[in-house]
Structure formats: structure tokens, C-alpha cells
Amino acid sequence: MTYSYDYPHPAVTTDIVIFTVQDNALCLLLIRRGEDPYKGKWALPGGFLRMDEDIEHCAARELAEEAGVQGVYLEQLATFGTIDRDPRERVISVAYYALIPSDDVALQAGTDAAEAQWFPLSDLPPLAFDHSDIVRMAQQRLSAKMSYSTIGLQFMPAAFTLSDLQRVYEIASGKTLDKRNFRKWVLSLDLVEETGHKQTQGAHRPAMLYRVKKPSRIDIIK
Amino acid sequence: MTYSYDYPHPAVTTDIVIFTVQDNALCLLLIRRGEDPYKGKWALPGGFLRMDEDIEHCAARELAEEAGVQGVYLEQLATFGTIDRDPRERVISVAYYALIPSDDVALQAGTDAAEAQWFPLSDLPPLAFDHSDIVRMAQQRLSAKMSYSTIGLQFMPAAFTLSDLQRVYEIASGKTLDKRNFRKWVLSLDLVEETGHKQTQGAHRPAMLYRVKKPSRIDIIK
DNA sequence: TCAAAAGTGTTCTCTTTACACCCATGC
DNA sequence: GCATGGGTGTAAAGAGAACACTTTTGA
């Protein structure tokens, strides 16, 4: 079966940049391609838009199919469409990005995707297509949003200590932060609350565990 | 001639939101549609992507063809692609936005476009397709960027007074600003310079005329 | 000489940053 | 009892907001 049009049409795809914080590094998820073009190369998860689904739905579906990642809040990044970005045909790609907690990383292993792996941003392999442009833009956007929104909370698991949270912010921003000022700031935003439980771990005073009050919400701050 | 594909392909278009400040109001440019669907309705300038042009080129071309507006700095806004946004077929639209000086508004009249007109944002007619969603998003983006970037300078003509500039900022933000603080702020950014000429206009002290130092550049401030 | 917009500094307030010690636990 | 990370307040500096009068021109 073929589909015919009076004028030429490009193909439309989505690509998704998924960040997490793992082993003291900001990481992103890549898929090793099983097909040409760029067979064997690492690429962002993503794929072709179906005619009966919204663009964001396409991104969510591809992410689930290729990487076993579900239920994340996707935000549109930008649309990439230079003429030769795909050797097969003209392809317009709508890029999305999302942040997931480091403890969801385990889900990753259970997927049936060909090969999915986390890479530290500081040590990425060469990427297929124009995916390094997409990653670069995602990095810029993330870094900007970290400083003027509550997006960073999306990195956090169901329960975490304030020191965990500070570590995530330090890794994502690349700066060290003052403990007292950071805590004052976080608590003043009124976005996290005590769970009532403490985490006893190691030879030191147990830390209060917190949870995010409205996990799905991203607010602009400042 | 027809174009055939193994899988269905959506059409891809661009839509452009052009802002200006005119008669003490923030305005945008609309085109009255000459064809179905939505014949006779007002819509954003825009049109179908050609296979041999980049997406941004498409936006610039449509803007020139339909509205006679040229040489503006276009910034990608977002991509809209809900399933039923166009009754003809599945259409994915990449939206752009730009700001132009109010004195370029005159160019508008000289175009051969069917019908192009400036509307104050506060008094828009009903729009075709999902264009009011696009406009809403553009408005949010503009308002955000006005507060943390130098994008507002793009509204300014080749020469202007600091009072002109303040007026533009007040209109775009909807707030009144303190004259001394505004001037201190603008001059501290080092983005405008004196032209050396003064504007004598009306029964009052002549005002120094300024120009933007790097007109094409948008910086993040604060 | 009056009206109308241009131009110009200082003070106060609030936000942000810098900084050091005691606490609870496991070994 | 000592090593380890958890938890807490205050003071100094910097950024942002408030505020009123003199100048130059045309009519």
C-alpha cells in the first residue's frame, strides 16, 4: 500500500532527550541503532509519527517502546528540519526532553529494547543524524530551566534527603552550593514536605526524608 | 504529478507571529484568508514547507510573500500538531515569532498580499485553525523574554529616544516604569549608544537619539 | 511665562551571599 | 571516642525600588 499526495511531504519524527543524575554525573539515555542508516551508532530514542496520534503521544510511545521509560513529563524542546539531516528522505523531527529520577534507571534494564544505555554528558559517543545538535540544545535548555524553575525536582525519587537534592542541583549546575543557603531556599519555596520518616544510612546522624508536594508541576521561580 | 510514500506523511507548514508596538498597543499581523478552509477568516501568515528549503527559510519566505515583511530575526516558538487542526489533512505547523519596529509598519501597505492588517492583541478577531493557541503561546514567550533578555530592542527603529524605548517596554509589559530607574538600567546594559543627534519635536526640550549597538543580537540578562 | 517632555542621584529595603559549630549515629 | 554526614542562624554586601526637581524648547 502506498500513500499519494499532490505535493511532496516530509516525514515527521520525534526524538527524546532523557536526562537523569547517576553516579555524580548528569546522564542521558541513548539507543544503539539496529537498522540503517547509522546502524550500530548511538542515537536518541524516537521514531516516526503516526497519523492518529498527537506529537507528544508519539514521543511518549517511542520512549516506552525503545527504552521502557513511562509516565514522564515531556516538554517540547524544538523542531529540527535541515534538508539533509536524514539520508533516506526529508525528515522533520520534533525534539522533546524530560528528567527522570535516578532510581527509575533500574526500569531501564527490564526493557526489551535492542540496546539502551545511560551515558554521562561529559563522555558521549558520536551520535547519529544531527542528534548532537539536539543534545546541545537540550543541555542549554535544562541548564537555563534549572536556574529559573522548579524543573530540578523532577530528578528526585519518591523520597529523598535535602542533601540528595543539593547533590543533584550541584551536579546539574556544575557549581557547589552552600548547605544552609540551599536548604533555606528549598524550604522557602514550599515545594517539598517531610515524609515523617528518616533515612538511617551509614555512620552518621539519620536524615529527614522529603517528598515533592506536586510532582507533576513545574513552576517558574524568581 | 503525485508523490507516493510507503507510509502516510503529514504536511508541514510554518506560521509566524509578528509583533509590533503601534498606537500605544502591542499589535500583531494577520492575513485574511482568500481560500478555503476558513476563507475570509483572519489567520497568521504562513504556508507549506518546500522540500528544498529549511524550516526557517520557509517562515521567512511566507512572511515576505504574504505580508511584505523582510529581514526580521525569526525565533522558533513551538510546533503544533494536534490531529484535527486542519480539516484538509494532517498538518504539523512549526510556529515562529518575531518583533519588528513600528516604523516598518509602513512597508506593510506596499505589499501585494491579499489583505494584511495589524490588530491590537487586546482586540483580535476570531482566528482560523488553532492560531489563537499559537498566539497565546507567543504572547507568553514574548512577555517572558522581555523580562530576561534584550529582545525588546528589536521593536526599536534605527534611532529612538530613551522615552520611546521606555514606552515600548511599558506597553509590552503592561506596567508603568520609573523613568530614572529605567534609564539607569538601559544604560548599564551597554546595548544602546547616542547617535549624536537630537530629536526636536513639540514644545519641550529636545531628546537625545540613540541606536541599538548590535541590532541582530539577543542577550540573556540578569 | 507657561506647558510639556527631557534629564539627573540618593536613600531605603529586600534579596543574596558568606561563614562555623553542634548533633546523632555506626563502628 | 572518633569519624561521618545532618542540621542550624546571623551579619555583611549587593541589587532593586521609591522618590522630586531642574532644563530646554515652542507657543
Side-chain angles (χ1 to χ4, degrees):
Chain A
M1 169 127 193
T2 64
Y3 298 84
S4 299
Y5 306 93
D6 289 342
Y7 296 94
H9 282 40
V12 172
T13 63
T14 56
D15 287 304
I16 309 104
V17 185
I18 297 288
F19 292 102
T20 198
V21 172
Q22 198 187 7
D23 300 333
N24 289 328
L26 187 57
C27 296
L28 65 83
L29 183 68
L30 297 176
I31 306 285
R32 194 195 284 275
R33 289 183 58 82
E35 303 290 331
D36 269 322
Y38 297 103
K39 184 170 176 177
K41 286 265 185 195
W42 293 96
L44 295 171
F48 288 91
L49 176 70
R50 296 183 182 160
M51 292 303 104
D52 60 353
E53 67 180 355
D54 281 347
I55 311 178
E56 184 171 326
H57 180 274
C58 172
R61 178 179 54 73
E62 291 288 348
L63 198 52
E65 286 177 10
E66 298 196 339
V69 174
Q70 274 177 317
V72 303
Y73 173 77
L74 288 163
E75 194 163 306
Q76 207 186 90
L77 176 63
T79 296
F80 295 78
T82 47
I83 295 172
D84 296 319
R85 59 182 296 282
D86 192 310
R88 293 167 291 186
E89 61 176 324
R90 184 78 193 271
V91 176
I92 308 299
S93 184
V94 185
Y96 284 80
Y97 72 103
L99 281 46
I100 72 171
S102 31
D103 67 348
D104 279 9
V105 171
L107 296 178
Q108 197 29 47
T111 180
D112 58 1
E115 207 175 344
Q117 197 177 308
W118 293 99
F119 287 86
L121 266 174
S122 55
D123 191 25
L124 292 180
L127 299 184
F129 305 105
D130 57 354
H131 287 187
S132 40
D133 293 333
I134 301 179
V135 168
R136 194 172 312 120
M137 188 178 289
Q139 241 179 305
Q140 282 168 5
R141 182 78 65 89
L142 173 64
S143 147
K145 283 239 164 180
M146 285 293 290
S147 67
Y148 70 81
S149 83
T150 62
I151 198 174
L153 294 174
Q154 307 233 349
F155 278 126
M156 305 316 290
F160 52 88
T161 68
L162 293 185
S163 295
D164 292 338
L165 183 58
Q166 181 174 345
R167 201 164 305 118
V168 165
Y169 267 83
E170 288 181 333
I171 291 165
S173 71
K175 292 173 197 158
T176 62
L177 303 169
D178 177 84
K179 188 170 22 166
R180 277 171 295 191
N181 291 338
F182 181 78
R183 281 160 188 250
K184 237 181 304 176
W185 174 73
V186 168
L187 295 175
S188 77
L189 292 176
D190 194 35
L191 296 165
V192 300
E193 59 190 359
E194 301 188 351
T195 60
H197 301 106
K198 294 198 173 194
Q199 168 180 286
T200 305
Q201 183 208 49
H204 55 83
R205 179 170 171 178
M208 177 59 72
L209 285 166
Y210 288 79
R211 74 170 76 91
V212 180
K213 276 189 174 178
K214 295 171 185 159
S216 62
R217 175 129 175 214
I218 297 179
D219 286 309
I220 305 300
I221 49 180
K222 271 193 200 172
Chain B
M1 170 125 190
T2 62
Y3 299 83
S4 299
Y5 306 92
D6 289 343
Y7 297 93
H9 282 39
V12 171
T13 64
T14 55
D15 287 304
I16 308 103
V17 185
I18 297 287
F19 293 102
T20 200
V21 172
Q22 198 186 8
D23 300 334
N24 288 329
L26 187 58
C27 296
L28 65 86
L29 183 67
L30 297 176
I31 307 285
R32 194 195 283 277
R33 289 182 57 83
E35 303 290 332
D36 268 324
Y38 296 101
K39 184 172 177 175
K41 286 267 184 194
W42 293 96
L44 296 172
F48 288 91
L49 176 70
R50 295 182 183 162
M51 292 302 104
D52 61 353
E53 67 182 356
D54 280 348
I55 310 177
E56 185 170 325
H57 180 273
C58 173
R61 179 179 53 74
E62 292 288 348
L63 197 54
E65 285 176 13
E66 298 195 340
V69 174
Q70 276 178 316
V72 303
Y73 174 76
L74 289 163
E75 193 164 307
Q76 207 186 89
L77 176 63
T79 296
F80 295 77
T82 48
I83 294 171
D84 296 319
R85 60 182 295 282
D86 191 309
R88 293 168 290 185
E89 61 177 324
R90 184 75 194 274
V91 176
I92 307 299
S93 185
V94 185
Y96 283 79
Y97 73 102
L99 281 46
I100 72 173
S102 31
D103 67 348
D104 279 9
V105 171
L107 297 178
Q108 199 28 50
T111 180
D112 60 0
E115 205 174 346
Q117 198 178 309
W118 292 99
F119 288 87
L121 265 173
S122 56
D123 192 24
L124 293 180
L127 300 185
F129 306 104
D130 56 355
H131 287 187
S132 39
D133 294 332
I134 300 178
V135 168
R136 194 173 313 122
M137 190 178 287
Q139 240 178 304
Q140 284 168 7
R141 182 77 65 90
L142 173 64
S143 146
K145 283 240 165 178
M146 286 292 290
S147 67
Y148 70 79
S149 83
T150 61
I151 198 174
L153 294 174
Q154 308 233 347
F155 279 125
M156 305 317 290
F160 53 88
T161 68
L162 293 185
S163 296
D164 292 338
L165 184 57
Q166 182 175 346
R167 202 166 304 117
V168 165
Y169 267 84
E170 288 180 334
I171 291 164
S173 72
K175 291 173 197 159
T176 64
L177 302 169
D178 177 83
K179 190 177 8 172
R180 278 171 293 189
N181 291 339
F182 181 79
R183 283 163 184 249
K184 235 180 306 175
W185 175 73
V186 168
L187 296 176
S188 76
L189 292 176
D190 192 36
L191 296 165
V192 301
E193 58 190 359
E194 301 188 351
T195 60
H197 301 106
K198 294 199 174 197
Q199 167 179 285
T200 306
Q201 181 207 51
H204 54 84
R205 178 171 172 179
M208 176 59 72
L209 285 166
Y210 288 78
R211 75 170 75 91
V212 179
K213 277 190 174 178
K214 296 172 186 158
S216 61
R217 173 130 179 214
I218 297 179
D219 286 308
I220 304 300
I221 49 181
K222 269 195 200 172

